[in-house]
Amino acid sequence: MSRDIPSALLTALTGSEIEPFYACEFMFDTNTVTDINGNAFEVSPMRLWTGVGNRVIEVQGADQTFVGTGQLLSIGGLDEVNDLAAKSLAVSLSGIYSETLSIALQEPYQRRPFNLYFGEESVSNVVQVFSGKMNKMTIQDSGETSTIQMSVESNLLELERSSGWRYTQENHKSRYSGDSFFSYVQAIQDQTVTWGRE
């Protein structure tokens, strides 16, 4: 799949030494949740990158702060394909204290957008390499720390799902209450129309 790469990033990637990184954007809704100790936390879009420390990255025309995770963040299943095959991605974050698991369990994450970016440490520009929707969270608890794995479905999977809409008056009115477009569908479904003959 072809994509536009910013010229500064392209120049950095053609250098003799490069330091590539990935940046993940979990677009959670802004919510206030409570942990097991009764402390309230505000959950909002979470931005992580595979380096150390906070980093300001230009994403879709705006500067955003991404929190460094180092080796704790891993990304699997990132394959480049030439056709429109829908791929899924697995993002794992390890070393999470058990007290924070309740926050992860309370957050409604399914069908929320996820974006993955690729960049080089000497420039702030990145290129988006994957976008999809968060699907399934798996938690592995090992006593003091835990690992959370999030599976992310490609946006192309939306093309394989049916919309769930029906060509009926009831379904149409649920979306457009004043419209009577389908009001005569049942009356004409068994009609015989004489066309081009006596």
Side-chain angles (χ1 to χ4, degrees), residues 27-42:
M27 302 305 287
F28 296 119
D29 291 341
T30 301
N31 278 331
T32 301
V33 295
T34 308
D35 68 3
I36 57 175
N37 298 320
N39 301 319
F41 292 91
E42 186 174 281

Side-chain angles (χ1 to χ4, degrees), residues 170-189:
E170 293 77 15
N171 190 272
H172 189 68
K173 282 210 176 260
S174 69
R175 287 173 282 135
Y176 308 101
S177 59
D179 195 354
S180 61
F181 183 81
F182 287 102
S183 58
Y184 296 105
V185 169
Q186 286 185 337
I188 64 171
Q189 66 181 356

Side-chain angles (χ1 to χ4, degrees), residues 18-198:
I18 63 170
E19 296 181 68
F21 68 86
Y22 286 108
C24 300
E25 198 172 34
F26 301 84
M27 302 305 287
F28 296 119
D29 291 341
T30 301
N31 278 331
T32 301
V33 295
T34 308
D35 68 3
I36 57 175
N37 298 320
N39 301 319
F41 292 91
E42 186 174 281
V43 178
S44 57
M46 183 171 66
R47 295 177 174 93
L48 307 173
W49 75 295
T50 56
V52 178
N54 290 350
R55 180 180 180 88
V56 176
I57 300 173
E58 184 182 333
V59 176
Q60 299 177 1
D63 288 342
Q64 303 291 348
T65 301
F66 286 71
V67 177
T69 58
Q71 299 296 319
L72 301 178
L73 181 68
S74 64
I75 300 159
L78 187 61
D79 297 324
E80 187 74 24
V81 293
N82 291 329
D83 57 2
L84 290 177
K87 295 288 185 179
S88 61
L89 197 67
V91 181
S92 296
L93 185 61
S94 58
I96 299 170
Y97 289 110
S98 299
E99 290 81 12
T100 60
L101 280 182
S102 62
I103 299 172
L105 293 171
Q106 291 180 57
E107 177 63 24
Y109 61 89
Q110 287 189 318
R111 314 285 301 140
R112 301 300 192 275
F114 170 87
N115 298 310
L116 180 67
Y117 303 96
F118 175 77
E120 203 278 332
E121 290 202 26
S122 64
V123 295
S124 64
N125 302 96
V126 293
V127 62
Q128 185 173 357
V129 292
F130 186 88
S131 67
K133 300 236 177 1
M134 292 179 261
N135 181 29
K136 180 179 162 190
M137 183 188 301
T138 306
I139 298 174
Q140 297 173 350
D141 195 358
S142 61
E144 293 183 4
T145 61
S146 303
T147 300
I148 296 178
Q149 180 173 332
M150 179 76 73
S151 89
V152 183
E153 292 181 341
S154 169
N155 283 332
L156 291 173
L157 283 177
E158 296 294 325
L159 299 175
E160 298 175 5
R161 289 193 175 101
S162 75
S163 65
W165 293 354
R166 302 290 181 256
Y167 296 111
T168 63
Q169 177 68 0
E170 293 77 15
N171 190 272
H172 189 68
K173 282 210 176 260
S174 69
R175 287 173 282 135
Y176 308 101
S177 59
D179 195 354
S180 61
F181 183 81
F182 287 102
S183 58
Y184 296 105
V185 169
Q186 286 185 337
I188 64 171
Q189 66 181 356
D190 295 323
Q191 288 286 338
T192 302
V193 177
T194 305
W195 187 264
R197 63 178 190 262
E198 294 183 11

